[in-house]
Amino acid sequence: MNDLNENAVKRCLVLGGSGFIGSHLVDELLKRGLQVRCFDRPHVKPVSALHLGNANFELCEGDFVSEADIARALDGCDICFHLVSTTLPQSSNADPVFDVESNVMGSVRLLHQAVKHGLKKIVFVSSGGTVYGIPKEVPIRETHPTDPLSSYGITKLAIEKYLHLHKVLHGLDYTILRLANPYGERQRINASQGAVAVFLGKVLRGETVEIWGDGSVVRDYIHIADVVDALVTAAGFSGNEHIFNIGSGRGHSLNELLDAIEAATGRKAERRYLPGRPFDVPTSVLCIERARQALGWSPKVGFEEGLRRFSDWLGTSAGEDRH
Ligand SMILES: NC(=O)c1ccc[n+]([C@@H]2O[C@H](COP(=O)([O-])OP(=O)(O)OC[C@H]3O[C@@H](n4cnc5c(N)ncnc54)[C@H](O)[C@@H]3O)[C@@H](O)[C@H]2O)c1
């Protein structure tokens, strides 16, 4: 069964619902007529104001690491989407203790409370770009060895294992989505991560794009609409598989990305090539056959179309805020 409504879901909890991915998910769940509780840190400016004023929308402010806050958030919910991360891949190695204390311990407390509150299911967003480490074969399947090179990847994997443990011990259902590189509307373009957003921002501002290496590094980029589709599909899924790669299944080099940005924006991308970084693996592309077969999900937004949508949105007043 792949339908949330058929699963008699009444209220969904979205942890990290004011963020880039979470806010799109909240919009989609509301569009489907579901009640949605969005949990995020106090005073975080929501990246979408669309859901404010919707009678089915509820904002629940708190700290993910507080068990009391999480218990309050879970009360009366059937499904929880776990999209909080307190760290980023690049910076997580600087303070692994914080990474473990906030992400792993926070998630274990969440699972403890989820069992107590009789939650039906958790959908967890993991990371296809970090849990595998250096790919031994491409495209990368879910069965590929996991040897993360960042604390972020290790804590994502640890949370995956605790989800499995709670299914075995307590029957709490779960689905894990190992995401490739999401991009699209509402993503910050002035942040340091996300090549699509950073490059697009630089090209639109007329700044030179700095590229580590010769631009041949290949990554798998997936538009936010396809990510949300996968999240909602995963929530209604009740089959035997629990871990799915979610990407486009196609690779694009940084040079191809810049060519596509030039086509989408009609502007020239000034490029400066810098020495390559040893930790950038040459190619990372996810195999998405399992998601296609078991979830019946497949990406629908092509790369050029996705870039055009993102670029057009940045030209609107909502997009101006993200500059
Ligand atoms: N964006 C990517 O490139 C990417 C790739 C793979 C996986 N993911 C995962 O997807 C999830 C969502 O990512 P995103 O890009 O939407 O990130 P985001 O930073 O836009 O959203 C995360 C939200 O979590 C909230 N949050 C952080 N710490 C919190 C705390 N202690 N208490 C309450 N709320 C807290 C933030 O305020 C934010 O609104 C994360 O788990 C991330 O690791 C993201």
Side-chain angles (χ1 to χ4, degrees):
M1 193 185 292
N2 282 346
D3 192 299
L4 264 178
N5 300 83
E6 284 175 38
N7 274 354
V9 167
K10 289 194 250 349
R11 185 180 284 123
C12 310
L13 172 63
V14 182
L15 301 175
S18 297
F20 163 47
I21 300 172
S23 70
H24 282 278
L25 174 63
V26 168
D27 287 350
E28 181 59 31
L29 294 169
L30 288 172
K31 230 185 267 170
R32 291 175 182 234
L34 293 153
Q35 292 183 45
V36 182
R37 182 175 295 157
C38 166
F39 179 88
D40 215 296
R41 290 180 293 202
H43 315 304
V44 167
K45 189 179 162 205
V47 297
S48 162
L50 284 180
H51 38 247
L52 299 174
N54 185 315
N56 283 340
F57 177 77
E58 186 190 341
L59 183 63
C60 177
E61 292 182 330
D63 191 340
F64 177 67
V65 300
S66 156
E67 190 155 352
D69 289 355
I70 285 296
R72 184 166 45 88
L74 282 165
D75 196 39
C77 292
D78 312 285
I79 293 232
C80 169
F81 295 88
H82 177 3
L83 280 81
V84 164
S85 176
T86 64
T87 54
L88 293 171
Q90 306 90 315
S91 48
S92 63
N93 287 347
D95 194 350
V97 172
F98 171 73
D99 195 12
V100 172
E101 281 181 349
S102 52
N103 287 311
V104 180
M105 292 178 64
S107 298
V108 175
R109 285 190 208 106
L110 164 68
L111 290 171
H112 175 69
Q113 287 297 329
V115 171
K116 240 175 124 175
H117 282 79
L119 191 84
K120 288 187 184 145
K121 174 155 189 172
I122 295 197
V123 178
F124 175 59
V125 181
S126 183
S127 160
T130 64
V131 296
Y132 299 110
I134 297 172
K136 294 189 177 10
E137 54 181 36
V138 178
I140 307 168
R141 293 175 199 280
E142 290 85 349
T143 48
H144 186 283
T146 49
D147 291 306
L149 295 175
S150 63
S151 174
Y152 174 92
I154 294 174
T155 56
K156 287 284 190 199
L157 267 183
I159 296 165
E160 291 189 5
K161 297 292 181 194
Y162 277 108
L163 283 160
H164 175 68
L165 180 67
H166 281 69
K167 164 87 175 155
V168 173
L169 294 182
H170 306 289
L172 176 60
D173 195 13
Y174 71 98
T175 298
I176 292 161
L177 301 185
R178 291 179 174 167
L179 280 196
N181 297 283
Y183 72 93
E185 302 86 290
R186 301 183 192 159
Q187 194 172 20
R188 283 183 190 83
I189 59 170
N190 51 9
S192 58
Q193 72 151 11
V196 173
V198 173
F199 287 6
L200 190 53
K202 293 221 180 238
V203 171
L204 289 175
R205 291 192 299 265
E207 295 171 10
T208 301
V209 178
E210 293 189 333
I211 302 151
W212 305 102
D214 61 5
S216 62
V217 163
V218 169
R219 293 290 178 270
D220 183 340
Y221 301 102
I222 177 146
H223 187 261
I224 185 65
D226 286 324
V227 174
V228 169
D229 189 22
L231 281 161
V232 175
T233 306
F237 176 69
S238 52
N240 291 330
E241 296 287 4
H242 290 283
I243 300 180
F244 297 98
N245 283 338
I246 297 295
S248 69
R250 293 192 52 205
H252 293 278
S253 71
L254 294 175
N255 287 328
E256 286 169 351
L257 167 60
L258 283 166
D259 294 345
I261 287 177
E262 286 181 337
T265 59
R267 299 191 188 196
K268 179 109 189 73
E270 295 302 335
R271 313 173 190 204
R272 182 186 303 139
Y273 293 91
L274 304 171
R277 300 180 297 187
F279 52 86
D280 280 331
V281 299
T283 302
S284 177
V285 179
L286 299 181
C287 171
I288 54 171
E289 276 318 297
R290 184 186 281 182
R292 282 189 202 276
Q293 299 299 326
L295 289 180
W297 168 91
S298 57
K300 296 184 182 59
V301 183
F303 193 47
E304 288 74 19
E305 163 69 12
L307 285 176
R308 197 187 49 69
R309 285 195 203 178
F310 191 9
S311 170
D312 288 353
W313 178 83
L314 286 166
T316 65
S317 54
E320 295 282 320
D321 275 3
R322 307 302 275 175
H323 286 233

